[in-house]
Amino acid sequence: MKLAPAANVAQLSEFDEIIDVRSPGEFALDHIPGALNFPVLDDAERVRIGTLYKQVSAFDAKKMGAALVSHNIARHIETHFIDKPRTWKPLIYCWRGGNRSGAMAHILKQIGFDVAQLEGGYKAYRASVVADLARLPAQFHFRVVCGPTGSGKSRLLQALAETDAQVLDLEGLAAHRGSVLGNLPDAPQPTQKMFDSQLSWTLKQFDPTQPVYVEAESKKIGVLRVPDALLAQMRAGECVRIEIATPLRVALLKQEYVHFLNDPAALQAKLDCLVSLYGHEVIAHWNALAAQHAWDELVLLLLQYHYDPAYAKSTLRNFPAYTQTPAVLIDDINPAGFSAAAKQIHTQP
């Protein structure tokens, strides 16, 4: 009988595809970036077998499990693997590198595919991510983009990426803009483990001899935590300070948060979260401005009383030389303006 060989986490790039055979629920919580989900047991089946194991017997659970796994693997072969060439080289993994991935790997091996099973499964992969996030940040020199709310830091990062600069977009990976109003309307935040996975994978793509541009962030982006080692290395990096006139900041914020302009009630619900900071009277006034669609006045007040003081305090604490750092002026919030600023920044030694 031919057994599928074992592979380790360091060999992930050697395979044509990575197949995660865990249930869809497990896959959604976290998975190896780029992996495809072909579960040998779906979520309901996994619960069913677990219950049978605990309440009846391991023998009965194994019989039922074998039937379900065999049926699901056959379906995957018929619908997804039937056209794969003999040279196809997949890596299969499950939770611990045990029975679920072993069953899929065994059958694919018997067919003749050059298949391998991930040793230790997802748990080994997760351990490698935790180790990477403690180790990798120290390899890089970070240029940290600093500027008040509404200065277009995310747009500048995008423009920098278009110049082939190395960019770590933490807010993009976290699906959050990093403030009380930061939830994206069409994208929930990933789990912490998924965020870690994407972060680890992104860092591995970078060249340590070249700078990495990143936006100044606090310890948390929405509900997600930035790894301590990364945050420490960012704060030891070089500050890139950008300035933009207040009217342009207001205009940019109205573009970025247009979903709130279209749904004032959602904005008012967010503003209510600030009552403990500013009191009922202030929040009632801000909510009234939202109800009246007095957006320019509301944005100015939010910048003046909420965002700017907090940002100045945080930035000066983490980048004491911020006010002495020469500023890059952005006078156009269209793509051309950020492209010009990106070229100026990226050509600086």
Side-chain angles (χ1 to χ4, degrees):
M1 179 183 296
K2 295 183 289 184
L3 297 177
N8 58 46
V9 174
Q11 297 173 280
L12 294 179
S13 63
E14 299 176 10
F15 295 88
D16 296 327
E17 286 183 329
I18 300 174
I19 306 298
D20 186 325
V21 301
R22 298 175 302 154
S23 70
E26 293 172 290
F27 184 81
L29 289 174
D30 186 31
H31 55 265
I32 297 173
L36 304 174
N37 189 210
F38 293 104
V40 298
L41 292 173
D42 65 25
D43 293 310
E45 290 167 343
R46 184 166 171 258
V47 171
R48 178 181 172 189
I49 297 304
T51 302
L52 193 63
Y53 186 94
K54 293 178 180 179
Q55 297 184 356
V56 182
S57 71
F59 180 69
D60 287 278
K62 289 178 180 178
K63 284 193 296 182
M64 179 59 69
L68 292 171
V69 167
S70 299
H71 172 77
N72 289 328
I73 291 176
R75 176 168 51 83
H76 294 322
I77 293 172
E78 292 172 347
T79 58
H80 297 285
F81 305 149
I82 199 70
D83 294 328
K84 297 294 184 183
R86 187 181 184 88
T87 55
W88 181 53
K89 187 178 179 180
L91 175 67
I92 314 297
Y93 76 94
C94 61
W95 178 250
R96 286 190 293 263
N99 293 335
R100 287 187 287 175
S101 58
M104 176 77 86
H106 172 70
I107 292 176
L108 294 180
K109 186 68 175 177
Q110 297 309 305
I111 292 173
F113 292 122
D114 185 12
V115 62
Q117 185 179 4
L118 181 62
E119 187 175 13
Y122 168 79
K123 289 191 71 176
Y125 161 74
R126 173 62 186 169
S128 75
V129 169
V130 173
D132 286 343
L133 292 179
R135 172 183 60 87
L136 288 174
Q139 298 180 9
F140 302 105
H141 169 67
F142 289 96
R143 289 183 173 173
V144 185
V145 177
C146 303
T149 300
S151 57
K153 296 183 290 292
S154 295
R155 295 188 185 190
L156 179 60
L157 288 181
Q158 181 180 349
L160 282 163
E162 291 170 357
T163 69
D164 294 327
Q166 297 187 139
V167 170
L168 179 59
D169 184 359
L170 290 174
E171 292 187 358
L173 294 178
H176 197 280
R177 293 196 176 104
S179 71
V180 69
L181 304 179
N183 292 90
L184 302 183
D186 55 354
Q189 287 199 265
T191 65
Q192 181 68 49
K193 290 180 179 179
M194 181 68 76
F195 176 67
D196 291 345
S197 285
Q198 295 293 339
L199 186 52
S200 171
W201 183 89
T202 302
L203 289 173
K204 287 180 177 180
Q205 312 310 306
F206 291 152
D207 178 356
T209 68
Q210 300 297 315
V212 175
Y213 291 91
V214 64
E215 180 177 341
E217 297 290 354
S218 60
K219 293 181 179 180
K220 295 189 74 175
I221 305 176
V223 299
L224 301 177
R225 300 182 308 278
V226 178
D228 291 340
L230 174 60
L231 200 61
Q233 193 69 6
M234 288 167 55
R235 291 176 177 173
E238 172 188 355
C239 176
V240 178
R241 179 183 169 210
I242 58 175
E243 282 189 357
I244 181 172
T246 299
L248 289 178
R249 293 171 64 198
V250 172
L252 187 148
L253 287 169
K254 288 195 297 182
Q255 293 177 7
E256 295 287 335
Y257 293 92
V258 66
H259 52 286
F260 283 132
L261 274 61
N262 294 328
D263 187 2
L267 174 58
Q268 290 167 326
K270 291 289 186 180
L271 294 176
D272 286 340
C273 298
L274 301 176
V275 166
S276 62
L277 293 176
Y278 304 108
H280 291 281
E281 185 177 349
V282 169
I283 299 305
H285 177 54
W286 291 355
N287 278 332
L289 292 175
Q292 297 162 17
H293 294 192
W295 302 122
D296 286 9
E297 183 178 355
L298 176 59
V299 172
L300 280 170
L301 287 172
L302 286 170
L303 290 176
Q304 180 180 355
Y305 292 101
H306 180 64
Y307 286 107
D308 286 357
Y311 190 85
K313 182 179 179 181
S314 173
T315 304
L316 288 173
R317 180 176 65 248
N318 298 316
F319 299 94
Y322 172 72
T323 55
Q324 285 76 47
T325 302
V328 175
L329 180 63
I330 296 175
D331 56 10
D332 179 1
I333 62 173
N334 291 305
F338 288 101
S339 294
K343 291 176 183 176
Q344 178 184 348
I345 291 168
H346 193 39
T347 55
Q348 293 175 346

